[in-house]
Every structure is written in C-alpha cells, then in structure tokens.
C-alpha cells in the first residue's frame, strides 16, 4: 500500500515510535541518501525517517535536509510529523513538556540546505508554516488522551552544533521565540516546497542557556526525549486515526519533483 505518512525522528526518537516495523532502507536522491524504516502506525502505513541517520551519526549542521525531504517525497509521502528536542526560551515552558509548534523563526545560515529552488524563480507561501490539519489532529489526540500538551509555540532555529549564549537566548525570547533547536527550520521549509504537510512536535529538554545556573548536558537532552517518547507514540497513534490523508489540500507551488 502507498505510504503517505512519515514521522521524522530527531534526538532520542527511534523507529520504535512506529507501532510495527517491516524493513530498513537507504533512499538515494539527487541530494544524497536518507535512512528510513518502513512500518505502520496503528493501521496506517508509515515511514520513519532517521533525521541524523541510523545510530544518530550526523550532527545537525551536516544533515542533508534536502536528501531527507526528497526521499520522503519520492516515497509518496504527503504528511509529516517531525519531532525535535528543544531548549526553552523562558522559565514558564518546562523540560519534559511537548510543544506543538505553530510558527518559526529561521536563524540558520546554511545556504545549501535552505531551498530546492536555488536556480528557479519560485517563491513559496509558507503561511502557516505548520499544517493546520495535522496540528488539529494532534491537538485532538492530546485531548482524547488527557495529555497536557502546549498547543502553540514559536521555534527558533540555529545551525548548531553549539548551544546558545545567554544573550542569544534573551534575544530569541524578545523576538517572540518560545523554544530553540538546531534542525527544524530548513526541514520545515523544504517540506513545504516539496508540497508536504508538515507538523512539528518538540520535546523541551532544558531551559535555554543562562535561564538556570547550570549548563546544558547533551546526555540529559537525550534522556528526557527518551522518557517522553511513549507519550509521543500514543499521540501519533491517536492523531493519525483522525486524519484523512486523501483530502489534504495542496501545499507548496507544485513545482517540486524529487
Ligand atoms: N538549544 C538548541 N538546541 C537544543 C537545545 C538548546 O538549548 N536543547 C535541545 N536542543
């Protein structure tokens, strides 16, 4: 059966988020290759994309987001739930919380990975950046399960791989950001350019630099996401039951071919 649904797994999220897995594949695209696991979420055929490659070997600044998104498009995917680990930009958004994103600020500088249309004149409407239909289904899943998810949040994206300075965290908060991560902007924009419905669900793993007296440990970032993964799986299972993938409206310019 045609696979129309994808989950992109960031730090701490593995293919075990699928309810069943059948095979692992390397998908080759003109932008590079992508590691995927094929399976299902409940009754829905789904593909899990390993954002950092199998075994989490690719650091954020070296990810080919174009290869990852082109791979999903070439498999026939129409809808994407993407997980990310994020730092909080304020003391009222806490580690362990799930934030369903509704906007983003792109502070990345990686030129190669920002667009599929580097040589064509294509200006893509990215309003809103995160799919309304997928957000709605995820919010309904949270209500059905009685989970306390934060249903809005602006994601600020850096190139990484370092964490931010305290002044950068203060700046991002003043600009309207709620959380900060290193992977979600180019990925979201490329997904829209490719005509995909894209929805970002972030797991808060730490307060941003300078908001608490302690530093940020990568190990605890990983641990917190792992502890929230079962909750995310239940949310996805319930959300995908509520989405009719065949009636999603067109996204992007329609000009992209994988
Ligand atoms: N900053 C950027 N990326 C992150 C953070 C952070 O504090 N935590 C998890 N990913």
């Amino acid at each position: 059966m045609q696979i129309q649904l994808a989950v992109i797994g960031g730090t701490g999220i593995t293919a075990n988020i699928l309810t069943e897995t059948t095979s692992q594949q390397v998908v080759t695209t003109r932008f590079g290759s992508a590691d995927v696991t094929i399976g299902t979420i409940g009754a829905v055929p789904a593909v899990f994309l390993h954002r950092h490659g199998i075994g989490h070997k690719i650091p954020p600044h070296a990810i080919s987001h174009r290869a990852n998104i082109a791979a999903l498009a070439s498999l026939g995917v129409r809808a994407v739930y993407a997980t990310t680990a994020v730092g909080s930009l304020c003391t009222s958004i806490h580690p362990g919380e799930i934030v369903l994103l509704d906007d983003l600020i792109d502070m990345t500088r990686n030129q190669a990975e920002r667009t599929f249309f580097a040589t064509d004149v294509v200006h893509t409407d990215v309003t809103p950046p995160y799919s309304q239909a997928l957000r709605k289904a995820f919010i309904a899943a949270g209500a059905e399960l009685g989970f306390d998810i934060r249903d809005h949040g602006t994601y600020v994206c850096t190139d990484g791989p370092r964490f931010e300075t305290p002044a950068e965290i203060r700046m991002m908060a003043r600009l309207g950001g709620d959380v900060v991560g290193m992977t979600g902007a180019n990925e979201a924009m490329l997904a829209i350019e490719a005509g995909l419905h894209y929805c970002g669900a972030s797991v808060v793993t730490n307060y941003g630099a300078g908001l608490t007296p302690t530093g940020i440990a990568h190990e605890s970032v990983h641990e917190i996401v792992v502890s929230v993964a079962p909750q995310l799986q239940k949310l996805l299972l319930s959300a995908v039951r509520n989405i009719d993938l065949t009636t999603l409206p067109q996204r992007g310019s329609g000009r992209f071919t994988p």
Side-chain angles (χ1 to χ4, degrees), residues 36-121:
V36 302
T37 301
I38 308 293
T40 53
I41 298 184
V44 183
V47 55
F48 177 84
L49 181 111
H50 303 253
R51 181 186 287 125
H52 298 265
I54 302 272
H56 199 109
K57 289 193 217 69
I58 308 170
H61 56 283
I63 293 171
S64 177
H65 295 292
R66 289 182 303 169
N68 284 349
I69 295 299
L72 296 183
S74 73
L75 291 170
V77 164
R78 300 212 55 222
V80 180
Y81 279 108
T83 69
T84 44
V86 292
S88 167
L89 295 175
C90 59
T91 50
S92 57
I93 302 180
H94 309 290
E97 282 194 53
I98 295 173
V99 180
L100 190 64
L101 305 171
D102 67 348
D103 213 337
L104 72 82
I105 298 173
D106 183 0
M107 290 190 175
T108 65
R109 300 183 182 111
N110 182 338
Q111 292 303 317
E113 290 298 335
R114 37 188 353 103
T115 182
F116 285 120
F117 301 115
T119 53
D120 308 311
V121 182

